[in-house]
Amino acid sequence: MSRDHVQAAERSATGAGAPAEHTAATGPVPGGGAPFADGTEAAAEAPFLELLARGASVEAYEQPVLRARAEGRPAERIAALEHARRLALRVRAELEGRRRREAELSALFETAHDLAGLRDLDAVLRAIVQRARSLLGTDVAYLSLNDPVRGDTYMRVTEGSVAARFQQLRLGMGEGLGGLVAQTARPYVTDDYFRDTRFRHTETIDAGVRDEGLVAILGVPLMLGDHVIGVLFAADRRARVFEREQIALLGSFAALAAAAIDAANLLTETRSALADLERANEIIRDRSAAIERASDVHDRLTRLVLRGGGVHDVAEAVSEVLDGTVEFTDTGAAPGDALEASRAQGHVVRHRDDWIAAVSAGGELLGALVLRGHPDLDPVDQRTLERAAMVTSLLLLARRSAAEAEQRVRGELLDDLLDARDRDPRLLRDRAVRLQADLDATHVVLAARLEAAGADADQEAAARRRLWSAASHLAATRHGLAAARDGGTVLLLPLEPGRSASDLARRTARDLGTAVHEPVTVGASAPVADLAARPDRVATAYAEARRCLDAVRLLGRGGDGAAAEDFGFLGLLLAADRDVAGFVDRTIGEVVAYDRRRGTDLIRTLEAYFACGMSPARTKDALHVHVNTVAQRLERVGRLLGEDWQSPSRALEVQLALRLHRLATATRH
C-alpha cells in the first residue's frame, strides 16, 4: 500500500480535507491498477487501516468484505474492498515479520550479552534453550553435548520436557536425528520422527521420544571450528514444517551456545591455570619457609653439638623450629610398631596425631624423637625431624663412648659384689654413690640371656655384646649396675615401691628384647637389701636368679621374665631363702585368716577332704558332720581360693601348703 493511499485513507478516516465526492483519487484501479475516479478505493482502505492499527487477527480482515456483500454494495465497491484486504494482509504480514525479526535480534542480542558476562555456563545454555523454544513457538527445546570419552552425546539442558527417560537419553553417533546431526555436522529436520527413515532408530531413543510425545524435530549442530560439540533441538508434539528462517535462527542460537561453551572452557582453563599458579606460589612460599626453618635447625643443632648439648637440648631446639612439642623417649615408651617401621624405613612415621623418628645406630634402637599433636607435617619438616634424630643418635653414640668407661666401672663394682665378699662396705657404698647407685635401697638381681643362638661364634659374641650394651644402658638409666657373666648378663636394679620382682623381670625382658631385636629371657631373685653391708647376698641372689632363668627356659617361656614367686611350690626349690611362710600365705593364707577371724574350721575340713581322696561322703564321716556341712565349707573355700583350687596343679600346691602349715603350727606349739 502506497504512502498516498495511506494518507488518503487517514484523511477519509479523520474527515480532514475535501469531501469524498469532490476528492480526486489517484490510487490504482482495483484489478487493473488505475485509480477510481470516485474515491472508492480510499473509502475501501479505511476499515483495514483501522484493523492494522489495533493489530486484529487475520480472520477479522474478512469482515468488511462480507458486510459489503450482505448490504448489496456495488461490484466495484466489493472489488475495492477485496483489493484493500489483500494489501492490508501483505502489510500485516510484513509488520509481523519485522516484529518477529526484531524479537529474534533482541533475543540474540540478549544471549550475546549473557555470553559477554558469562559466569554460569548452565544458566547461559538454559537461557539459549528457553529463548529458542519461545521464538520458534515449539513445545520442547533441548541441547545435547558430545562425550568424547564415551563416544556419544548426552542431554545437557531441556526446556518444556516432561518425561524423565527423555531427559536422561544418551545418543550414539549416527543414532536418531541428533546422532545424525552430530555425525554429519549439518542441520536436519523431520516432520514426523517415527516415519522418517533417514536416520537409524533405536529402541532406547524411540522410547524416550515416544514418552515425550514428540513428532516434528529440528536439530542444528554446535560447532567449534570444524568440530561438532553438541546439537541444539526444537521439537513439537504435532506434525510441523520448520521454515528456512527458523532453521537459520536456531543455527544462530547454536553458534552462541557453542561460543558460550568455548568461553566457559577457556574460563575454566584460565581459572584452573590461575589456581595451579596460586598453589605453586603457595608451595614455593611454604618450601622457602621450610628451607629457612631447616637451615635454622641445622645451625642450632651444629651449635648444640659444638657446645656439648644433650638429646633433650636437641628436642627443645626442634620443638621451637617445628612449632610443636618434640620429646626424646626410650624404646619402651614409644609405640612399638611405629618405632620399628621408622627404624626399618629410615624415615619418620605417623602414629595417630604424632610423628615418630627412630633414633638408631648400627641396627640398635636407642630411643625415639616424638613430635606430638602435629598431624599435618610438611615433607621438609619431616626431613628436619629425621635430621634431628640422626644428630641425636650421634650424640648418644658420643655419650656411649664416654659412658663405656663408666659402664666398665659399674661392671667392676657388680663383679666385686659378686666375687669379693670381704670388701670394705664403706668403699663399696662410696663407689656406688659415684655411679648414682644406692646400695642401701632394696634391689633385685636379674640374670638375662639371649634365646636365639648365633649362626657362628662371631655372631654370637656380637649378640652378647649388644645385650651387655643394652643392659648397661638400662642399668645406667635406672641407677643400677650391670655386668657380663656366664654367657649372659647380670643386672642389679632397684625395686620401685609397690612393684614385685616378677614385674621387674618381665619389664626387663621386654626392654632388653626391644633394644636388641631378639627374645631375651630374664630370671629374677627375691628382693634383697643392705647390699653394702652384706655383699654376700648379691651372689646368693644371683644364684637364685639363674635358677629362675633356667626354669623359665625349661618351661618353654623363652623371651619372658619371672621370679621364684611365679612358680608356686617350685619356687620353694628355686628361692635362695626357702620362703616357706610366704608360700603358705600365698597359697592358703585367705583360708587361715578366715578361720582366725570367724572361729571356723575350714583348714581341718580341707585336710580331711584331701585325706579322704577328695570324697565329700567319706569326709563327713571323718569329721562326724552332715554331708551338707562339708559341701558348704568347701563352697566357702572355693570363694576364698578361687574356682580352680581343685585343679591338679592347684590341689597339689594346696596340699603342700596344708602340710607346711601344720608343721609350722606344731613347731610353734
Side-chain angles (χ1 to χ4, degrees):
M1 183 179 293
S2 66
R3 181 178 301 175
D4 293 338
H5 295 164
V6 173
Q7 292 174 348
E10 290 176 349
R11 286 195 300 271
S12 174
T14 58
E21 59 271 15
H22 299 116
T23 302
T26 59
V29 176
F36 291 90
D38 60 356
T40 302
E41 182 177 356
E45 291 173 351
F48 295 107
L49 288 174
E50 183 179 353
L51 292 173
L52 285 171
R54 71 167 187 260
S57 64
V58 174
E59 292 77 9
Y61 287 80
E62 295 290 340
Q63 296 302 319
V65 178
L66 295 176
R67 192 162 43 248
R69 287 176 177 168
E71 293 174 354
R73 296 298 180 92
E76 292 81 359
R77 174 64 175 174
I78 293 174
L81 288 172
E82 287 279 5
H83 181 68
R85 182 182 64 82
R86 288 193 296 271
L87 290 176
L89 288 175
R90 285 170 55 188
V91 171
R92 181 183 183 281
E94 182 68 22
L95 291 175
E96 286 292 332
R98 290 183 180 183
R99 279 195 294 269
R100 185 172 61 252
R101 285 192 292 274
E102 181 181 354
E104 293 170 355
L105 291 175
S106 177
L108 291 174
F109 175 79
E110 290 175 359
T111 303
H113 182 269
D114 292 344
L115 179 57
L118 177 65
R119 291 294 180 270
D120 184 352
L121 176 61
D122 286 337
V124 174
L125 295 181
R126 197 176 301 111
I128 289 174
V129 172
Q130 290 172 348
R131 289 164 185 163
R133 179 194 177 203
S134 175
L135 290 176
L136 270 67
T138 57
D139 297 323
V140 182
Y142 51 99
L143 183 147
S144 66
L145 292 180
N146 291 355
D147 187 342
V149 176
R150 297 180 55 170
D152 61 3
T153 181
Y154 65 95
M155 292 290 186
R156 176 64 181 272
V157 181
T158 63
E159 177 67 23
S161 173
V162 295
R165 179 160 52 176
F166 178 78
Q167 296 168 14
Q168 298 170 4
L169 275 180
R170 299 189 73 97
L171 292 75
M173 292 300 180
E175 295 179 356
L177 177 67
L180 185 61
V181 174
Q183 186 178 42
T184 62
R186 294 176 55 191
Y188 273 86
V189 61
T190 178
D191 300 337
D192 191 336
Y193 175 86
F194 291 100
R195 294 178 180 273
D196 202 326
T197 60
R198 291 175 300 167
F199 45 83
R200 182 156 51 95
H201 290 263
T202 66
E203 183 178 350
T204 302
I205 299 173
D206 286 357
V209 174
R210 189 175 292 108
D211 285 354
E212 194 62 56
L214 300 182
V215 177
I217 303 175
L218 166 63
V220 296
L222 277 66
M223 305 288 296
L224 280 182
D226 296 332
H227 301 286
V228 178
I229 63 171
V231 180
L232 179 60
F233 298 89
D236 258 339
R237 296 188 176 93
R238 53 185 173 77
R240 170 178 176 171
V241 176
F242 288 96
E243 300 175 358
R244 188 181 303 274
E245 292 81 2
Q246 294 174 324
I247 297 175
L249 176 61
L250 194 63
S252 299
F253 277 117
L256 290 175
I261 294 171
D262 188 34
N265 291 338
L266 291 175
L267 184 59
T268 300
E269 292 174 1
T270 302
R271 288 173 176 169
S272 177
L274 288 175
D276 291 341
L277 288 175
E278 289 178 0
R279 285 193 295 270
N281 193 27
E282 286 183 15
I283 292 173
I284 291 172
R285 287 198 301 268
D286 292 343
R287 290 293 182 271
S288 177
I291 291 172
E292 290 180 4
R293 291 196 302 272
S295 177
D296 182 25
V297 76
H298 176 76
D299 294 341
R300 292 191 183 195
L301 294 178
T302 301
R303 290 194 296 270
L304 281 175
V305 172
L306 292 177
R307 71 167 183 258
V311 294
H312 296 291
D313 296 323
V314 172
E316 183 178 352
V318 179
S319 297
E320 293 179 4
V321 172
L322 298 184
D323 192 23
T325 301
V326 178
E327 299 176 356
F328 174 77
T329 64
D330 294 333
T331 54
D337 295 341
L339 183 60
E340 180 58 31
S342 176
R343 184 195 66 81
Q345 299 172 12
H347 298 292
V348 297
V349 173
R350 181 174 173 177
H351 178 73
R352 297 175 184 165
D353 289 342
D354 303 336
W355 289 89
I356 312 297
V359 177
S360 61
E364 178 186 354
L365 272 174
L366 305 177
L369 284 183
V370 181
L371 174 61
R372 301 195 182 280
H374 211 309
D376 298 323
L377 192 63
D378 185 273
V380 176
D381 290 338
Q382 294 179 27
R383 303 293 88 77
T384 297
L385 188 59
E386 292 167 3
R387 188 179 297 109
M390 184 182 301
V391 172
T392 302
S393 66
L394 293 175
L395 288 175
L396 290 175
L397 287 177
R399 178 185 296 178
R400 174 178 292 184
S401 299
E404 283 181 354
E406 179 185 344
Q407 293 172 359
R408 284 192 293 271
V409 172
R410 289 178 182 275
E412 291 171 358
L413 176 56
L414 184 53
D415 285 335
D416 287 346
L417 289 171
L418 288 168
D419 300 329
R421 305 182 182 184
D422 55 351
R423 295 279 183 175
D424 183 350
R426 185 177 57 82
L427 293 177
L428 291 174
R429 186 178 288 107
D430 290 343
R431 289 170 61 187
V433 169
R434 287 195 295 271
L435 296 173
Q436 296 182 343
D438 182 10
L439 295 182
D440 293 327
T442 301
H443 285 71
V444 173
V445 178
L446 303 108
R449 185 184 295 272
L450 289 168
E451 279 301 307
D456 52 39
D458 291 339
Q459 290 185 3
E460 186 170 351
R464 289 178 179 176
R465 284 194 299 272
R466 289 198 305 273
L467 176 61
W468 173 79
S469 177
S472 298
H473 176 71
L474 183 64
T477 58
R478 297 186 185 176
H479 305 293
L481 304 174
R485 181 170 286 247
D486 300 324
T489 301
V490 57
L491 298 95
L492 180 67
L493 298 179
L495 184 63
E496 300 174 358
R499 305 298 293 271
S500 66
S502 298
D503 296 336
L504 184 58
R506 286 190 289 270
R507 178 182 174 187
T508 303
R510 183 179 66 251
D511 292 346
L512 292 178
T514 302
V516 300
H517 309 297
E518 293 183 27
V520 176
T521 305
V522 175
S525 71
V528 291
D530 198 18
L531 300 180
R534 296 287 305 275
D536 57 306
R537 293 182 177 179
V538 179
T540 303
Y542 175 55
E544 178 184 344
R546 288 195 61 191
R547 288 194 296 271
C548 288
L549 172 64
D550 294 338
V552 173
R553 300 179 72 186
L554 286 173
L555 292 174
R557 292 168 54 187
D560 197 2
E565 62 189 37
D566 295 318
F567 296 98
F569 72 90
L570 290 177
L572 296 175
L573 305 176
L574 299 174
D577 57 0
R578 302 293 192 272
D579 184 16
V580 174
F583 170 73
V584 172
D585 184 64
R586 289 192 299 272
T587 307
I588 61 172
E590 293 287 338
V591 180
V592 174
Y594 188 87
D595 279 349
R596 188 178 299 116
R597 291 193 309 269
R598 302 292 183 91
T600 54
D601 205 7
L602 297 182
I603 288 294
R604 182 165 170 263
T605 302
L606 275 176
E607 290 175 339
Y609 179 65
F610 284 117
C612 294
M614 302 176 69
S615 169
R618 289 198 295 271
T619 302
K620 61 100 175 174
D621 294 334
L623 295 176
H624 304 291
V625 297
H626 195 275
V627 68
N628 289 342
T629 303
V630 175
Q632 291 171 0
R633 292 178 181 179
L634 294 178
E635 182 181 357
R636 171 63 64 183
V637 169
R639 286 199 292 270
L640 294 172
L641 299 184
E643 295 181 356
D644 64 337
W645 71 276
Q646 297 190 70
S647 65
S649 60
R650 287 290 307 279
L652 179 60
E653 292 182 359
V654 171
Q655 292 180 70
L656 179 58
L658 287 170
R659 296 196 179 198
L660 292 173
H661 174 67
R662 175 174 289 277
L663 180 61
T665 303
T667 302
R668 285 196 298 270
H669 289 81

